[in-house]
Amino acid sequence: MNQLDSLQFREVMGRFPTGVAVVCARAHGSAVWGVTVNSFTSVSLDPPLILVCIDRAAASHDKLTTAQTFAVSVLAEDQADIAKRFALEPPETRFDDVAWRGASDGSPVLEGAAAWLECETNGVMPGGDHSIVLGRVIASGCSDRGALLFFAGAYGRVVT
Ligand SMILES: Cc1cc2nc3c(=O)[nH]c(=O)nc-3n(C[C@H](O)[C@H](O)[C@H](O)COP(=O)(O)O)c2cc1C
């Protein structure tokens, strides 16, 4: 794809509104890793499977794709600052001053999220310049907070 086509592709896909999530895992030892994603989607109900796509060029790629378990925090409408932090801050300082708790496996779940899932890694498949990570959901929870939305490069919220 030439550069013009690539920009067009990003612009077109940016007009598909999504939620925003942070995928987190605990690496060997105790280091915690997390990345903002909007490639999160459900795949299967039985068994319960979800997927996220992680950029192979991301510093966190190997940590997230080799983790045996990971957590997904679906961001709430007042968490745009968290979305920016987990996309732009250096991986080493992303969790500074961010409230989180460990899921049963220790994967970080961000406090204040609209919903969360804990997953066992079920497979990692190549997807061009991304890796497609399939997760089997082993625990989950939700709140009554509204979700953060992403559309055409801007954050928003659901208006009912
Ligand atoms: C709204 C939004 C959605 C994003 N979605 C994804 C995604 O689905 N997959 C991905 O790999 N990066 C995604 N990114 C970019 C990563 O958050 C960003 O590149 C991050 O810094 C990569 O982590 P790294 O520091 O480990 O390289 C998204 C960023 C934003 C702001």
Side-chain angles (χ1 to χ4, degrees):
M1 190 180 282
N2 64 37
Q3 192 174 359
L4 189 64
D5 289 339
S6 175
L7 288 173
Q8 168 83 357
F9 181 54
R10 287 175 70 111
E11 199 172 340
V12 168
M13 293 310 296
R15 275 160 175 79
F16 181 64
T18 66
V20 185
V22 175
V23 180
C24 296
R26 186 182 283 272
H28 300 296
S30 62
V32 286
W33 295 80
V35 169
T36 298
V37 301
N38 66 345
S39 57
F40 167 63
T41 191
S42 60
V43 174
S44 161
L45 200 55
D46 185 16
L49 299 174
I50 57 92
L51 70 76
V52 293
C53 302
I54 305 295
D55 190 343
R56 288 171 51 198
S60 313
H61 174 272
D62 293 356
K63 307 292 182 187
L64 296 177
T65 57
T66 60
Q68 291 186 341
T69 53
F70 62 93
V72 180
S73 297
V74 177
L75 296 184
E77 60 189 11
D78 62 350
Q79 292 185 310
D81 55 333
I82 299 276
K84 292 172 192 166
R85 166 179 279 268
F86 281 83
L88 301 171
E89 288 280 321
E92 304 77 30
T93 56
R94 275 179 200 164
F95 287 87
D96 293 358
D97 303 320
V98 172
W100 59 274
R101 64 183 187 279
S104 68
D105 66 317
S107 298
V109 172
L110 305 186
E111 295 291 356
W116 62 273
L117 307 100
E118 182 184 351
C119 302
E120 284 173 356
T121 303
N122 201 257
V124 180
M125 288 145 279
D129 56 12
H130 282 54
S131 293
I132 304 165
V133 182
L134 202 58
R136 184 182 178 117
V137 182
I138 54 173
S140 63
C142 53
S143 76
D144 56 5
R145 296 183 182 94
L148 182 65
L149 302 184
F150 193 65
F151 175 72
Y155 295 96
R157 64 188 178 90
V158 179
V159 179
T160 51

